[in-house]
Amino acid sequence: MNPRVLLGVNVDHVATLRQARGTRYPDPVQAALLAEEAGADGITIHPREDRRHIQERDVLLMRDMLNTKMNLEMAVTDAMIVFAEQVRPQCVCLVPEKREELTTEGGLDVDGQEARIAKACERLARIGAEVSLFIDPDPAQIDAAVRCGAPVVELHTGEYAEANTPEAEEKAFKVLLDAVAYARKRGLIVNAGHGLHYHNTERVAAIPGINELNIGHSIIARAVFTGLKEAVRDMRSVIDRARGPHLSP
Ligand code: PXP
């Protein structure tokens, strides 16, 4: 089952380690370049409102230096939209953001804030960015994403990845499977991510219609032991195993 599923590598947690000590290292820009060399199809970064990991400097340097594409994850705020207008990334992924959360918990409620999100999609499309909305695998949210004019959705895989029992995992997987099929039917490009690691990604990569997986924490965690390039290549192999070998990158 081809075509190849794309891998976006999220390097936020390289910056988390740097910020923990206020040092100059490790540098997420260096991580992004190594990830690209190892086969990443794009680099995802999320400058959060509290700047706990990625800083503006990282975004600006990567915008100049990346050879693939930047996927800028951001909250739907005027300040972030103005920043994106300055950076002009190839892709923007709109996500919900709460200061107190450990990571992005749950998808964006597009259905509940349609006017605001539609306006953000319109402004970001004007700078040529491909806009995706990070949503739960829920048909109502998919319908709302279509109404907002977003060409892409990223389905939140957290419920599947964090399931505690095989039954819960099956249930969450089925929800994901149906949501991918529904979003494709509605004409959307479908990405997915959150909580994916070396043991739960193959099933998701095998879902027909998935375009790209965005993966961060598990890759950066493995890199501590194997180095980043090997960690990215290992994830690439997991994804390719799901679809069969590809002939060219
Ligand atoms: N996609 C989105 C929209 C996210 O917010 C995150 C987490 O920053 C990811 C993908 C990557 O998740 P993880 O770090 O769990 O692989």
Side-chain angles (χ1 to χ4, degrees):
M1 189 206 311
N2 261 319
R4 182 173 186 264
V5 174
L6 304 176
L7 171 61
V9 174
N10 180 317
V11 297
D12 288 352
H13 293 306
V14 175
T16 302
L17 200 54
R18 177 191 60 191
Q19 298 308 114
R21 283 291 185 92
T23 45
R24 296 165 75 96
Y25 60 87
D27 196 315
V29 181
Q30 189 176 3
L33 297 176
L34 287 170
E36 285 186 327
E37 282 178 23
D41 299 290
I43 301 297
T44 295
I45 40 177
H46 182 184
R48 295 182 72 100
E49 192 190 6
D50 61 11
R51 298 292 188 268
R52 69 173 74 156
H53 39 54
I54 293 293
Q55 308 296 307
E56 290 187 15
R57 163 263 184 215
D58 303 326
V59 181
L60 297 171
L61 281 173
M62 280 189 221
R63 186 65 186 93
D64 267 356
M65 295 173 76
L66 293 185
N67 298 290
T68 57
K69 59 175 185 174
M70 172 184 288
N71 179 26
L72 187 68
E73 269 185 38
M74 53 179 252
V76 192
T77 63
D78 196 55
M80 280 312 302
I81 294 171
V82 168
F83 182 55
E85 285 168 342
Q86 178 196 343
V87 175
R88 301 175 81 90
Q90 291 91 339
C91 306
V92 170
C93 181
L94 296 177
V95 301
E97 197 175 300
K98 290 190 224 113
R99 261 179 190 273
E100 64 278 11
E101 68 192 355
L102 281 179
T103 178
T104 312
E105 295 163 3
L108 196 59
D109 180 14
V110 184
D111 197 30
Q113 356 170 25
E114 206 174 303
R116 199 163 77 90
I117 292 171
K119 209 159 166 201
C121 288
E122 199 187 309
R123 275 178 74 178
L124 293 164
R126 237 181 277 145
I127 57 161
E130 182 180 70
V131 181
S132 86
L133 303 179
F134 185 52
I135 56 172
D136 289 330
D138 169 357
Q141 297 296 342
I142 292 167
D143 287 338
V146 172
R147 290 195 298 274
C148 285
V152 186
V153 284
E154 179 171 329
L155 299 178
H156 196 307
T157 49
E159 188 91 11
Y160 159 75
E162 285 147 30
N164 285 324
T165 63
E167 295 75 28
E169 184 180 313
E170 276 317 300
K171 194 170 161 215
F173 184 74
K174 176 79 171 57
V175 169
L176 200 55
L177 199 62
D178 291 346
V180 175
Y182 184 63
R184 292 294 298 135
K185 204 169 99 193
R186 301 272 358 234
L188 295 166
I189 295 169
V190 185
N191 299 338
H194 199 93
L196 296 178
H197 56 62
Y198 293 84
H199 303 283
N200 65 11
T201 296
E202 191 173 339
R203 279 189 95 183
V204 178
I207 298 175
I210 289 273
N211 170 64
E212 176 176 289
L213 298 176
N214 283 307
I215 307 179
H217 186 265
S218 62
I219 293 177
I220 304 306
R222 177 170 290 214
V224 172
F225 301 110
T226 67
L228 185 57
K229 287 175 104 172
E230 195 172 321
V232 172
R233 283 193 207 108
D234 286 349
M235 187 55 85
R236 190 64 264 166
S237 315
V238 169
I239 294 171
D240 289 344
R241 208 159 57 216
R243 289 288 176 113
H246 56 275
L247 296 175
S248 58

